[in-house]
Amino acid sequence: MTKIYAFANQKGGVGKTTTAVNLGAYLAASGRRVLVVDVDPQANATSSLGFDKNSLSLSTYDALINRVPCSQIIASTRWQHLELLPSAPALAGAEVEMVHLLAREHLLRKALAPIADHYHYILIDSPPSLGLLTVNALTAAADGVIIPVQCEYLALEGLTELLRTIMMVRDNLNPRLYVRGLLMTMYDGRTNLSAQVVAEVQRHFKDRVFRTIIPRSVRLSEAPSYGEPILAYAPRSSGGLAYQAFAQELLNGDEGQGTARVGGKGPQRAPTVARRQEV
Ligand SMILES: Nc1ncnc2c1ncn2[C@@H]1O[C@H](COP(=O)(O)OP(=O)(O)OP(=O)(O)O)[C@@H](O)[C@H]1O
Ligand SMILES: [Mg+2]
């Protein structure tokens, strides 16, 4: 069964791309076939996996606007089982061009449909906005949205707006959309602030916060400049171990293995239904 998740938060720099790329790499290393879909014109996921965004002949833009089949665009990465639907700067113009297209919110979902069965996981990295590209990502996200939240002051700011958008998409475009979980990122153990932010987010979102917390890790910030996921660049770093643990937590929840629970309140599958009602 394919799982399709979008990574969204209109706040910039919270760890969407870092999470999509590194989670994808660990899932692939565990033998799952993974496709990372880059729908951000910044193309950070594309460069983080070692591609030059300026020298790609085809990109997500062509899948959305020119209806080029994804199978002709998808690139293999240097890591087994890990493939990429790359972005390119041209995607910046897509939101304007999409406005005139029929079923413009469903373009990504329709583009992915013919190839989805080939993968165990499709991870969609979206841009820092709530525009049409993010709405396309949410509409295609058949199994939910993962929201990275940075452990910093005002972390909750903007989440109400994001949840409202998610509800709007669920009610009108993708009835299966729900919040798969919030992932706390860039945790700094040396400050009280990080711990306070985690406590506050857990108070608000309870069992929807993933147990795994991603620490601030210099290695994680260095890896993209080498075009490598942390699994290849520094697997024993704190960031590497954290993303490995996150991949395991997600797999346990998705595949019902062991006793892993998200947030410690019952098996993952049961609260999923309840959560759908409340987004
Ligand atoms: N846990 C971490 N520790 C240290 N640096 C990190 C961590 N996670 C991400 N970074 C760095 O922080 C920056 C922002 O991360 P990232 O690009 O993943 O965020 P984003 O939400 O995708 O940003 P955007 O909204 O611009 O797409 C990047 O330079 C990344 O390398
Ligand atoms: Mg990004």
Side-chain angles (χ1 to χ4, degrees), residues 9-19 40 42 44 48 125-129 148 185-187 214-224 239 243:
N9 190 337
Q10 76 277 26
K11 215 169 194 189
V14 297
K16 296 180 287 294
T17 302
T18 304
T19 301
D40 183 353
Q42 297 179 98
N44 291 338
S48 297
D125 183 27
S126 59
S129 81
T185 64
M186 300 185 221
Y187 183 93
I214 308 298
R216 189 170 278 285
S217 150
V218 174
R219 294 285 187 232
L220 271 177
S221 61
E222 289 170 349
Y243 274 109

Side-chain angles (χ1 to χ4, degrees), residues 169-184:
V169 171
R170 190 196 57 186
D171 291 347
N172 297 287
L173 301 164
N174 173 13
R176 291 177 61 181
L177 186 64
Y178 81 111
V179 176
R180 178 66 178 77
L182 286 84
L183 178 68
M184 304 306 301

Side-chain angles (χ1 to χ4, degrees), residues 193-233:
L193 181 64
S194 276
Q196 285 166 8
V197 171
V198 170
E200 192 187 350
V201 173
Q202 284 172 339
R203 195 167 54 244
H204 270 83
F205 293 96
K206 306 197 166 55
D207 64 349
R208 279 188 286 177
V209 184
F210 287 109
R211 270 187 183 180
T212 307
I213 293 175
I214 308 298
R216 189 170 278 285
S217 150
V218 174
R219 294 285 187 232
L220 271 177
S221 61
E222 289 170 349
S225 59
Y226 293 89
E228 292 186 341
I230 196 73
L231 168 146
Y233 180 67

Side-chain angles (χ1 to χ4, degrees), residues 223-269:
S225 59
Y226 293 89
E228 292 186 341
I230 196 73
L231 168 146
Y233 180 67
R236 306 308 301 166
S237 64
S238 61
L241 295 173
Y243 274 109
Q244 184 179 24
F246 179 49
Q248 189 60 59
E249 180 177 347
L250 194 78
L251 279 174
N252 288 350
D254 287 349
E255 300 180 0
Q257 290 168 354
T259 54
R261 288 143 195 225
V262 176
K265 277 199 177 172
Q268 177 56 31
R269 284 180 192 280

